[in-house]
Amino acid sequence: MELNNRFSLGFFPTPLTELKNLSKIYSSCNLFIKRDDHTGLASGGNKTRKLEYLIQEAIEQGCDTVITAGAQQSNHCRQTAAACAIANLKCHLVLGGEKPEIYNGNILLSELLGAKIHFTGENRKGEDIEQIYSSLKLQGANPYIIPYGGSNITGALGYVNAVKELQEQLTGRNLKLDYIFFASSSGGMQAGLTLGKMLYDLEAELIPINIDKNETAGQKLEEVIFGIVNQGKEMFQINKAFDYIDIKLIKDYDKAGYGVVSSNEIEAMNLLAKTEGILLDPVYTARAFYGMMDYLNKRLLPEKSNVLFWHTGGLPAIFYYSAEYMMKI
Ligand SMILES: *Cc1c(COP(=O)(O)O)cnc(C)c1O
């Protein structure tokens, strides 16, 4: 497997920096951040890494159109629209719910980036992709389907490679990480990090914060991750044991439901913005960051641990959720 075989869409490596002010507040640990909100693709985010491999595959298969699915404020869909613009591919987005009167946040950007948007009402997780695929085929297109969140083995390669990138940064500054917190939702990032950890002997423990308590296409998130990791183990001929119970997913912070902004998320957004000048999105990174804050407040990590927050992007959603923010401050 050739990890260099990808279509360049972003600026890498993304910065790895210390959260100096926050490390003073939570003085028991040293806090670091990996800035995948700065991948560079139309406001950045973690889907850029996945799309480098997915778009490469679409081009290699001779496709001229990409279809993918997400929520109305999908960061994945916005980055896919941008990737398609760069790669000269047509982009069809399959979004749940009804057409909103005003486009705002990610959906506004997806439209601006040239995507054709299909609204699918109650079918919120890409159930209509096959039907749209067939009708585009009949019209003579050759579409490539990217699953919900870009989470399959091809997309996960982005985070296998990201571990290699991180290891180089850590070696370069003689730093060892103990824990990595991040938001896990459709599973591709977690599967990729898990594989990367095995391939590149990254010692840090992953602490994935679960974002969406619902299943995708009848599959539990653990099942999606397990499937991708097993495919990857075969692809990279990794002989290490990996069982279903080895999949960690912290489900203590998802109770409000997907896309529902609670006081937890507002608290996290406020803290990081006001101490470090860094913006979190209200759906994913604020929920995951709150999880990390809770671990630190409860002293659940050993003293002097080096703790990384992997920022996965999502900035445009802030503008969609401005009313929720105003109500809770
Ligand atoms: C998609 C997304 C995630 C979750 O990544 P998955 O690979 O889907 O688990 C986290 N943060 C942001 C901002 C995202 O857009």
Side-chain angles (χ1 to χ4, degrees):
M1 181 60 223
E2 183 45 88
L3 281 170
N4 289 327
N5 185 29
R6 60 184 200 267
F7 186 88
S8 175
L9 293 169
F11 305 134
F12 299 107
T14 56
L16 168 69
T17 61
E18 196 176 349
L19 294 170
K20 288 209 178 83
N21 296 334
L22 210 62
S23 295
K24 280 183 197 142
I25 297 175
Y26 295 110
S27 53
S28 64
C29 291
N30 304 310
L31 305 178
F32 298 86
I33 191 164
K34 176 88 171 139
R35 299 298 300 273
D36 277 12
D37 53 328
H38 282 281
T39 55
L41 181 64
S43 175
N46 70 344
K47 304 310 179 303
T48 307
R49 292 188 189 269
K50 300 178 180 184
L51 285 162
E52 291 202 321
Y53 292 92
L54 292 160
I55 295 292
Q56 176 69 27
E57 191 169 88
I59 293 169
E60 281 174 8
Q61 292 180 5
C63 296
D64 53 16
T65 302
V66 166
I67 312 172
T68 197
Q72 293 210 349
Q73 282 302 316
S74 168
N75 299 300
H76 163 64
C77 288
R78 180 244 314 155
Q79 287 164 89
T80 303
C84 288
I86 295 171
N88 281 313
L89 300 166
K90 292 199 180 70
C91 180
H92 286 256
L93 299 178
V94 181
L95 307 183
E98 304 304 325
K99 183 177 180 177
E101 228 165 89
I102 293 175
Y103 283 7
N104 196 343
N106 279 302
I107 193 171
L108 173 67
L109 300 186
S110 295
E111 165 80 23
L112 182 63
L113 291 160
K116 168 86 180 71
I117 300 174
H118 307 259
F119 294 95
T120 56
E122 287 303 308
N123 291 347
R124 292 179 186 274
K125 294 218 166 176
E127 295 85 343
D128 296 10
I129 283 185
E130 290 297 335
Q131 187 198 320
I132 291 165
Y133 176 88
S134 305
S135 78
L136 288 171
K137 266 280 203 207
L138 281 176
Q139 294 164 35
N142 188 10
Y144 176 85
I145 295 177
I146 297 180
Y148 194 84
S151 287
N152 58 15
I153 181 62
T154 306
L157 294 180
Y159 274 90
V160 176
N161 198 48
V163 173
K164 184 162 168 250
E165 176 185 304
L166 177 67
Q167 278 289 48
E168 284 165 7
Q169 288 175 313
L170 294 174
T171 307
R173 57 175 86 180
N174 208 2
L175 180 66
K176 196 178 141 294
L177 293 177
D178 300 300
Y179 300 97
I180 299 176
F181 284 82
F182 62 99
S184 190
S185 186
S186 68
M189 177 173 178
Q190 185 171 343
L193 291 179
T194 303
L195 287 164
K197 231 174 89 70
M198 294 195 251
L199 257 184
Y200 301 111
D201 296 316
L202 177 71
E203 281 177 39
E205 184 182 330
L206 302 179
I207 308 191
I209 305 293
N210 191 48
I211 302 301
D212 187 351
K213 56 186 177 184
N214 294 329
E215 299 186 342
T216 299
Q219 263 199 318
K220 282 197 201 166
L221 185 52
E222 287 90 338
E223 290 168 352
V224 176
I225 294 166
F226 193 58
I228 300 174
V229 170
N230 279 329
Q231 267 181 291
K233 274 179 61 179
E234 204 161 297
M235 182 183 267
F236 292 105
Q237 294 171 349
I238 299 170
N239 290 319
K240 291 177 191 165
F242 183 78
D243 296 320
Y244 192 78
I245 51 158
D246 295 329
I247 300 170
K248 197 166 174 171
L249 261 181
I250 307 301
K251 297 185 175 173
D252 297 335
Y253 309 102
D254 61 13
K255 302 293 172 287
Y258 177 83
V260 179
V261 183
S262 76
S263 52
N264 292 356
E265 286 79 34
I266 302 290
E267 195 180 323
M269 289 172 79
N270 271 318
L271 180 68
L272 192 63
K274 291 175 173 74
T275 55
E276 299 281 352
I278 296 174
L279 303 168
L280 293 168
D281 85 288
V283 179
Y284 297 93
T285 51
R287 186 162 286 183
F289 198 86
Y290 180 84
M292 186 176 83
M293 286 162 58
D294 197 39
Y295 268 65
L296 293 167
N297 284 326
K298 292 179 177 156
R299 304 243 169 185
L300 297 177
L301 306 175
E303 295 240 336
K304 299 203 166 44
S305 295
N306 288 332
V307 181
L308 179 85
F309 181 76
W310 204 312
H311 197 319
T312 46
L315 176 77
I318 290 181
F319 303 104
Y320 175 77
Y321 285 98
S322 56
E324 279 85 346
Y325 183 81
M326 292 310 295
M327 263 160 37
K328 290 199 167 77
I329 52 171

